[in-house]
Amino acid sequence: MADFAQLPPKGTFRNHFQIPANQQLILFLARLNIKKGLDLLLPAFEQVAKQRNNCLLLLAGPDDGYLATCQEFITKNKLENKIRLLGMITGELKLAALSDATLFALPSYSEGFSIAVLEAMSAQLPTLLSDRVGFGETIRETQAGHLVDLTVDSVAAGLTQMLDKTQTNHQQHHDG
């Protein structure tokens, strides 16, 4: 957990990938696999991206059978400037991503014990998850994350709600 107590300075990841400071970053950090809920996250994000032009979905993880489908979805829906496929990120770059992300999303169909979720929460990143994540009940009881149903609409509503909340908190923080 010590790695997450001292994250790289804010802006490190954005500078590396030339992402403007006003972009809200939704981070998906897992293998690109159907069971991770990408078939829900991609169309949910597309709905959200139609409503706001300041959000970016970052898909970080190695291909596990779903990369081609992600690429097709991005091209078909003209989301090249809204979704970035980063491949697998590790070490300092991964910590920098957790530092700069607005929220973490993993609407997984089945998850034993997700290290990525624990890492995101350790980095104090607002987290959107399905209730199929191994410790979903604990998350529900402690309200440690935002739990969604396994539907595109539920994921889209969750993303919208969380982005609105972080934007409000961000403005309050800056307005003093």
Side-chain angles (χ1 to χ4, degrees):
M1 301 320 273
D3 289 348
F4 301 95
Q6 192 61 51
L7 292 172
K10 285 239 180 259
T12 303
F13 182 85
R14 288 175 186 276
N15 290 342
H16 184 86
F17 286 100
Q18 296 164 350
I19 299 169
N22 67 340
Q23 290 286 313
Q24 290 184 299
L25 303 180
I26 300 167
L27 178 64
F28 170 92
L29 184 63
R31 291 174 292 120
L32 302 185
N33 182 299
I34 183 87
K35 85 168 205 176
K36 300 293 183 182
L38 285 163
D39 60 326
L40 303 173
L41 183 59
L42 290 170
F45 176 77
E46 182 194 15
Q47 284 180 24
V48 171
K50 282 180 182 164
Q51 306 305 314
R52 52 179 78 220
N53 58 9
N54 69 331
C55 60
L56 196 58
L57 175 60
L58 306 172
L59 300 179
D63 182 19
D64 191 24
Y66 208 71
L67 177 62
T69 306
C70 291
Q71 289 167 325
E72 281 169 33
F73 183 89
I74 292 166
T75 305
K76 185 177 146 217
N77 295 288
K78 298 178 177 53
L79 292 167
E80 293 87 352
N81 62 348
K82 293 281 189 181
I83 300 176
R84 296 225 190 148
L85 291 159
L86 304 178
M88 187 166 170
I89 59 172
T90 58
E92 280 296 303
L93 193 56
K94 180 170 88 170
L95 293 174
L98 291 167
S99 178
D100 279 3
T102 308
L103 61 97
F104 176 87
L106 185 67
S108 186
Y109 286 96
S110 147
E111 207 63 50
F113 192 81
S114 174
I115 298 300
V117 169
L118 288 178
E119 289 174 344
M121 289 180 164
S122 298
Q124 299 182 345
L125 197 52
T127 303
L128 176 132
L129 310 156
S130 74
D131 59 2
R132 305 293 173 87
V133 174
F135 37 93
E137 272 315 302
T138 305
I139 290 168
R140 179 174 282 120
E141 287 164 17
T142 59
Q143 297 180 331
H146 187 101
L147 291 179
V148 293
D149 295 329
L150 290 172
T151 66
V152 171
D153 289 345
S154 181
V155 174
L159 289 173
T160 300
Q161 200 176 340
M162 291 179 76
L163 289 170
D164 287 348
K165 196 174 182 179
T166 55
Q167 199 159 12
T168 303
N169 290 346
H170 186 74
Q171 283 169 343
Q172 286 171 346
H173 184 73
H174 284 286
D175 295 346

